[in-house]
């Protein structure tokens, strides 16, 4: 019965480790995410979990030492003396899910409405992005404008 194990890779060598494991005929999972690097349209593929890789091995017939000594691999993740086993459902969900950041297509001055949290259904004025996943908004509270930082997925444009 094969199980999924968690590997710890050497710095910035996850792709190398995955390639070398594939050459050995070992099934692996290396979840990645596409992130926008700058304000331009350039994006890059980066690891979802830097330095970690999931491998599927049979505990009775696999050579764990060969996997451990694969180029790019540092060691197995252990829980005490036992190797860390990862639930198959979790790995399958990571393999099937296509993680992409929420794109922000708002411009400064746009009227937006919050859809979640304590400011739900409150209208605000979009100011600027705050990283890749959040934005800064101006909300009118007690006749004064206050800046708040919210997730991009919690705002929508008002028509």
């Amino acid at each position: 019965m094969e199980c999924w194990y968690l590997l710890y890779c050497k710095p910035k060598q996850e792709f190398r480790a995955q390639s070398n494991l594939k050459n050995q005929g070992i099934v692996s999972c290396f979840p990645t995410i596409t992130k926008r690097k700058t304000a331009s349209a350039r994006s890059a593929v980066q690891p979802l979990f830097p330095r970690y890789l999931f491998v599927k091995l049979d505990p009775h017939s696999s050579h764990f030492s060969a996997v451990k000594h694969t180029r790019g691999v540092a060691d197995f993740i252990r829980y005490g003396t036992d190797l860390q086993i990862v639930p198959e459902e979790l790995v399958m969900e990571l393999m099937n899910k296509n993680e992409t950041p929420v794109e922000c297509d708002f411009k400064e001055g746009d009227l937006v409405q919050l859809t979640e949290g304590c400011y739900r259904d409150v209208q605000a004025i979009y100011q600027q992005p705050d990283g890749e996943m959040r934005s800064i908004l101006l909300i009118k509270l007690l006749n004064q404008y206050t800046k708040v930082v919210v997730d991009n997925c919690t705002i929508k444009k008002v028509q």
Side-chain angles (χ1 to χ4, degrees):
M1 170 111 175
E2 292 183 326
C3 298
W4 285 96
Y5 295 93
L6 188 57
L7 287 178
Y8 191 62
C9 297
K10 294 178 181 174
K12 307 230 185 254
Q13 293 192 25
E14 302 93 344
F15 290 106
R16 179 183 196 182
Q18 184 182 32
S19 174
N20 288 328
L21 289 166
K22 184 179 178 182
N23 291 341
Q24 295 176 41
I26 297 172
V27 178
S28 64
C29 172
F30 179 51
T32 58
I33 186 169
T34 304
K35 286 190 175 181
R36 224 171 55 194
K37 285 285 195 181
T38 60
S40 68
R42 268 188 40 203
S43 57
V45 175
Q46 295 181 343
L48 186 59
F49 306 111
R51 296 187 71 178
Y52 291 96
L53 187 68
F54 302 94
V55 291
K56 192 170 193 175
L57 301 169
D58 185 351
H60 303 293
S61 64
S62 295
H63 298 285
F64 286 83
S65 63
V67 174
K68 180 182 173 182
H69 295 293
T70 299
R71 287 183 181 216
V73 174
D75 201 356
F76 282 92
I77 298 295
R78 299 176 189 279
Y79 187 71
T81 58
D82 299 327
L83 297 178
Q84 181 63 51
I85 297 176
V86 181
E88 180 146 1
E89 300 83 31
L90 173 67
V91 178
M92 290 299 124
E93 186 176 329
L94 288 170
M95 289 174 83
N96 294 333
K97 198 173 212 179
N98 185 10
E99 288 288 333
T100 55
V102 177
E103 294 296 326
C104 179
D105 60 347
F106 304 111
K107 293 176 182 59
E108 186 176 343
D110 283 352
L111 188 62
V112 296
Q113 183 174 354
L114 287 111
T115 59
E116 294 180 16
C118 61
Y119 297 117
R120 183 180 191 159
D121 298 327
V122 172
Q123 291 190 352
I125 300 170
Y126 182 84
Q127 288 296 294
Q128 64 188 32
D130 182 34
E132 294 180 0
M133 306 293 277
R134 294 177 303 277
S135 295
I136 299 173
L137 306 178
L138 282 180
I139 295 180
K140 192 171 187 178
L141 296 172
L142 301 172
N143 293 327
Q144 285 188 325
Y145 283 101
T146 305
K147 285 185 180 182
V148 293
V149 178
V150 298
D151 289 339
N152 289 345
C153 62
T154 64
I155 56 178
K156 66 178 182 179
K157 199 173 204 175
V158 176
Q159 272 52 344

